[in-house]
Amino acid sequence: MTPSDLAAATAQALPEMIEDLRTLVELETPSNDKRLLDAGLATISGWVVDRLGEPDGTERHDCGPHGDVLVLTYRGTAPGTVLMLCHYDTVWPAGTLAEWPFEVEDGRVSGPGVFDMKTGLVQAVWTLRLLRELGLPHPSVRLLLNGDEEIGSPASRRHIERLSEDVLATLVFEASLDGALKTSRKGVGLFDVTAHGIESHAGLDPFAGASAIHALAEVVPRIAALSAPERGTTVNVGLISGGTGRNVIAAQASCGIDIRIAEPEEMKRIDAALHALAPSDQRVRLTVTGEWNRPPMVPSDPSRRLFERAHAIAAEHGWELAETAVGGASDGNFVSALGRPVLDGLGALGSGAHARHEHTVLAPIPARTALTIGLLRALAADAT
């Protein structure tokens, strides 16, 4: 099948893909609502079966208060397996759809979660549907759907790492950045520093107390100074709280910190510095809690070769495929940290992730789908 034939086939499928996208966006699936996540996953599972038929293998993993992990495997016509990662949770709370409905206008579609990342999920499923309809060779596909990505994938991480172990490649259908694939992502650390002081009356007995707020104010500049832009490290103290009243020497205060790193080695430096913090008032004790939510995505040789293959496929279709590094993390970070081939950003073109102007541009969807079809065909040829 020529690139022009494939382009025509994906373009013909676009109207149905848009209706599928409507179905998914009109499912409210906020990360913190187990009831809605379960209902959404039931509908999504039924939709996938409608589009692809009954899977050859099914795994469902109970993730407690988080959205469950569903893994659907479809046997291919060539050796090997490709893992497709798609999350079905969004940042949008229940009720958002009532005031911001799914809408198609002026060549773009808007609605909660349409860009991050329900368009990518539609593209992933239609990639496999068209491969099968057109009789094109492809490896087996392992479609992993998780409902906790937006909160760091605390329950699904182990399944992602396990299921990416034996595959030819992991493809992540997060949105692109202006069409570019995301070959580098920063790691994320989420930490809290809490100051424990001594409470007293600010007027009657001011010197008996040891202010947690004053101590925290003293160390916050030191925390911010851990940023190292030349290494790709940024530190943001985004939350601060403490005290019980203006006339009370505060017994407790805390701050929430977001740390982004491009180099894995930075984790040790940051960890050591946070635990070495100490205020000048020795009566105040500091505690550090939190963790490295995701390691950085640093391109390995296998991932580099995967991008080069995608770049060549895009060229066959007559367009230039770029790559980029971004500050946000995804489930692809977990796979990359294990040295396994991964390609991210195969999803939508558009903008506004986590914002009210979130939207997907419709025109590029067929070409993006054709790109992934070409990539699976190439992986099949390599494995044969």
Side-chain angles (χ1 to χ4, degrees):
M1 173 170 282
T2 67
S4 59
D5 291 336
L6 186 53
T10 54
Q12 187 175 3
L14 183 58
E16 286 186 85
M17 294 174 76
I18 295 171
E19 285 309 303
D20 285 352
L21 185 54
R22 178 190 297 275
T23 297
L24 298 194
V25 172
E26 290 182 347
L27 295 172
E28 292 196 297
T29 50
S31 303
N32 61 355
D33 193 318
K34 178 69 169 177
R35 182 185 62 83
L36 286 177
L37 288 166
D38 284 348
L41 185 56
T43 300
I44 292 168
S45 176
W47 163 71
V48 174
V49 171
D50 284 344
R51 286 290 176 246
L52 300 177
E54 291 291 338
D56 297 295
T58 302
E59 298 178 27
R60 180 160 179 160
H61 301 281
D62 185 345
C63 293
H66 307 298
D68 288 352
V69 170
L70 180 65
V71 185
L72 304 175
T73 300
Y74 287 89
R75 190 177 299 117
T77 58
T81 301
V82 170
L83 177 63
M84 292 182 170
L85 295 184
C86 300
H87 69 84
Y88 60 93
D89 63 318
T90 76
V91 299
W92 299 103
T96 302
L97 200 62
E99 57 192 41
W100 180 25
F102 179 90
E103 184 177 37
V104 180
E105 185 177 10
D106 297 329
R108 67 184 201 175
V109 56
S110 63
V114 68
F115 182 62
D116 184 14
M117 60 163 287
K118 290 181 176 178
T119 299
L121 176 50
V122 170
Q123 290 177 194
V125 169
W126 273 88
T127 290
L128 184 53
R129 179 184 172 99
L130 289 170
L131 279 165
R132 290 152 65 99
E133 280 187 352
L134 298 171
L136 300 174
H138 61 87
S140 296
V141 169
R142 185 179 292 158
L143 177 65
L144 187 152
L145 308 172
N146 63 320
D148 61 349
E149 192 276 342
E150 295 292 3
I151 55 173
S153 304
S156 60
R157 175 177 181 171
R158 63 189 179 93
H159 300 294
I160 293 166
E161 292 177 337
R162 173 176 60 86
L163 292 167
S164 67
E165 182 176 3
D166 61 345
V167 299
L168 302 171
T170 295
L171 306 181
V172 186
F173 287 82
E174 292 283 3
S176 71
L177 180 61
D178 298 327
L181 297 187
K182 297 170 180 178
T183 53
S184 297
R185 286 183 177 270
K186 289 190 177 182
V188 180
L190 304 176
F191 295 93
D192 294 290
V193 173
T194 301
H196 307 270
I198 301 171
E199 194 170 57
S200 70
H201 193 293
L204 296 177
D205 205 7
F207 301 110
S211 174
I213 288 178
H214 293 184
L216 193 65
E218 183 182 350
V219 300
V220 163
R222 299 180 205 165
I223 296 170
L226 294 175
S227 289
E230 72 281 2
R231 300 178 193 171
T233 299
T234 58
V235 178
N236 179 59
V237 180
L239 293 170
I240 196 160
S241 63
T244 57
R246 68 179 67 234
N247 61 344
V248 179
I249 305 295
Q252 185 165 305
S254 63
C255 65
I257 311 163
D258 178 292
I259 303 173
R260 308 283 167 140
I261 58 169
E263 301 173 0
E265 296 78 12
E266 281 288 84
M267 286 189 279
K268 291 182 179 179
R269 181 182 73 87
I270 297 292
D271 282 341
L274 288 179
H275 286 91
L277 290 170
S280 57
D281 189 336
Q282 296 181 6
R283 297 175 297 166
V284 178
R285 176 175 58 90
L286 296 184
T287 57
V288 179
T289 57
E291 63 180 355
W292 290 100
N293 175 264
R294 287 189 174 95
M297 176 190 286
V298 180
S300 62
D301 288 341
S303 294
R304 174 59 54 196
R305 290 191 292 271
L306 193 58
F307 172 76
E308 290 171 354
R309 178 57 63 89
H311 184 273
I313 292 166
E316 292 173 1
H317 285 269
W319 51 286
E320 180 74 15
L321 181 64
E323 62 178 315
T324 190
V326 296
S330 83
D331 288 334
N333 289 51
F334 300 134
V335 180
S336 174
L338 296 170
R340 299 167 184 168
V342 59
L343 202 54
D344 201 345
L346 286 159
L349 271 73
S351 68
H354 302 190
R356 286 291 176 139
H357 62 280
E358 180 178 6
H359 68 275
T360 290
V361 180
L362 294 174
I365 290 177
R368 304 292 288 187
T369 307
L371 171 67
T372 313
I373 290 171
L375 195 52
L376 265 68
R377 292 176 68 190
L379 289 168
D382 291 345
T384 301

